[in-house]
Amino acid sequence: MDHDVASDYGSDFSPEEEIILSALLHQQAPVPPPDRPGLILRDIEDDESPVGARIRPTYNWRQHVRGNRRTSSKTQTPCLAVEVADDGSDPANESPESRTGRSRQERSVSVEAPVDIPPGPIELEVPDLRSPLERFRTKPKKPLSVTDLISPSWCELQYWFTLTKHGRKRRTPAMKQGSAVHKTLEEEVHRTVPVTITTKEDAWGLRIWNVIQGLRTLRETGMTRELEVWGILDGLVVNGVIDELSHTCPDPELEATERDPTDAPPTLPADQKSITDFLSPNHSRTLTQANFGAPGQPTPEPREPSPNVYITDIKTRATRSVPKAASFRPTLMQLMLYNRLLSTMAAGGIDTGILFSRYDLRADEPFTDAFIAQMSGMFSSDSISPSSSSSSSSSSSEADALSLLLAHNSLNSLWSLLTHELRLTFPLGATSVGRVLKAEYRHASDGQIMGSKTLRMDDALLDAYMAEGLRWWRGERHAVGVCLEEAYKCGSCEFAEDCGWRKGKIEEAREKARLGRGRGELRKGMSAV
């Protein structure tokens, strides 16, 4: 039996109620290994740490991809040369623009610092009645991230315990290995050069510039990776990082049904609480139609590039399988949320006043001279100016870069350049963002592709999910745990022993078992009469 314990979110294994009851009654909460103090994700709330600027690789990525596709059509999916960094690295010297740095930022949480308890009578602790949003994601603490909005779809109570009790997430060896795979993939598209940052405005200027570079790489090569996106959802600032963007549609047949409304399935009601029904293999070409690629099978022939831009989320797993049903729900919502954020940016729908105010930035403050000098000396003219020639001299390249940066020497001005790049990349605005989404699964040890799922964007489903999720964040309802059929998730939860929801489900399972035995005895007695 595959419990899928090595996946990102768990497995969709659903045993009988009696087996669930037995497992719940006898399991123990996992104890973190004592000899791995370096596997702690620290809380990172500021944007002033050393960061890096992205520059393009020295080889043609489009030709590289086509070459790989031609050679892999008759062979197994190629593996990546994955190198895992030592845990002893200092997060203070780590670039938040790296995959690990962003992972630390998104997965870290903001909690009040512990205080020493003075000697004397101990007073009863007053419960904090503030909402999760007020306690953990209100200025000056960091804004909401995609991780914040998606993690509760696995288990709201687990994320609530993480925020209130644990205060941080432990970086397991599996997570470390997955980050190494992502880093290897990222370096195929661009490399990161360290830049010394002295102000929050410089740090944010670098973040915006890296998005500009990512958009240019996408237009020139047909693919980019690790693109940061922002949005304002229901008045709240949200940010995230998309694993991969490309011009290749992952499922043209599914996209055809999106264009033809007569072939589309009916929209589910807004109060739908589970996606298990429309993850069923009995549904054909629905929102979550699975499109698997089995290990060892030939890679499909490359498709013609599309003017649209398509989103792919890359998941790493320690087992050579892909998740199903409830285990796929967080990835489903994550992809849809990425689509919403990217579409908003493509349509020019971000209020930069709200965005910069949330991060407490001086949007018209000029960048420092040191930042301008570093950036202008780093990029060649063919990577920083759309009209420049790759044969330009080094001095001319630096002059072109300096002129461009001086012409956009503030966050507001640089955002106007980003808006221009977005128009070039998404000429039809939000319509240029493909509504076919893809989840790709790779093995954590070598990066080999094990399979994928394609699905179609559903705005109504995302709206219903976000509305219900934000009700919890705003304190309008309490966090809820998993249903009985998903109780297997408790087996990998470090808060299981303290979870009142879990104990209630144990009693519920006991009562059902007693009622089942009672009904059986009643039927036996009636048949005897």
Side-chain angles (χ1 to χ4, degrees), residues 338-392:
Y338 282 148
N339 181 278
R340 177 69 56 84
L341 295 176
L342 184 62
S343 297
T344 301
M345 290 185 65
I350 294 183
D351 187 332
T352 55
I354 296 177
L355 180 67
F356 293 148
S357 174
R358 178 61 182 84
Y359 286 95
D360 197 22
L361 298 168
R362 298 169 295 176
D364 292 317
E365 181 76 10
F367 299 127
T368 63
D369 293 341
F371 175 73
I372 294 291
Q374 287 181 87
M375 298 294 289
S376 62
M378 185 176 303
F379 295 98
S380 61
S381 61
D382 62 338
S383 67
I384 199 167
S385 176
S387 59
S388 61
S389 169
S390 58
S391 60
S392 301

Side-chain angles (χ1 to χ4, degrees), residues 417-445:
L417 178 60
L418 173 59
T419 301
H420 172 71
E421 296 291 335
L422 286 166
R423 290 196 191 105
L424 294 177
T425 309
F426 305 94
L428 301 180
T431 307
S432 296
V433 180
R435 294 177 62 84
V436 176
L437 312 172
K438 177 183 176 183
E440 181 178 278
Y441 295 90
R442 292 175 176 264
H443 198 269
S445 64

Side-chain angles (χ1 to χ4, degrees), residues 99 182 224-226 241-245 312-315:
R99 178 77 195 186
H182 278 276
T224 193
R225 287 189 172 124
E226 305 300 323
V241 179
I242 299 177
D243 287 341
E244 181 178 303
L245 294 172
T312 296
D313 190 59
I314 299 173
K315 300 295 184 186

Side-chain angles (χ1 to χ4, degrees), residues 180-234:
V181 171
H182 278 276
K183 182 63 177 176
T184 302
L185 293 172
E186 181 182 356
E187 290 176 345
E188 291 180 345
V189 178
H190 56 247
R191 60 190 179 93
T192 302
V193 178
V195 175
T196 302
I197 296 299
T198 58
T199 69
K200 290 193 298 183
E201 288 71 30
D202 285 356
W204 255 84
L206 186 56
R207 291 171 73 172
I208 295 173
W209 181 255
N210 281 341
V211 175
I212 292 173
Q213 285 295 102
L215 295 174
R216 291 179 175 179
T217 301
L218 174 61
R219 293 199 306 271
E220 294 176 11
T221 69
M223 175 188 287
T224 193
R225 287 189 172 124
E226 305 300 323
L227 189 84
E228 187 168 10
V229 288
W230 301 275
I232 301 172
L233 304 178
D234 204 12

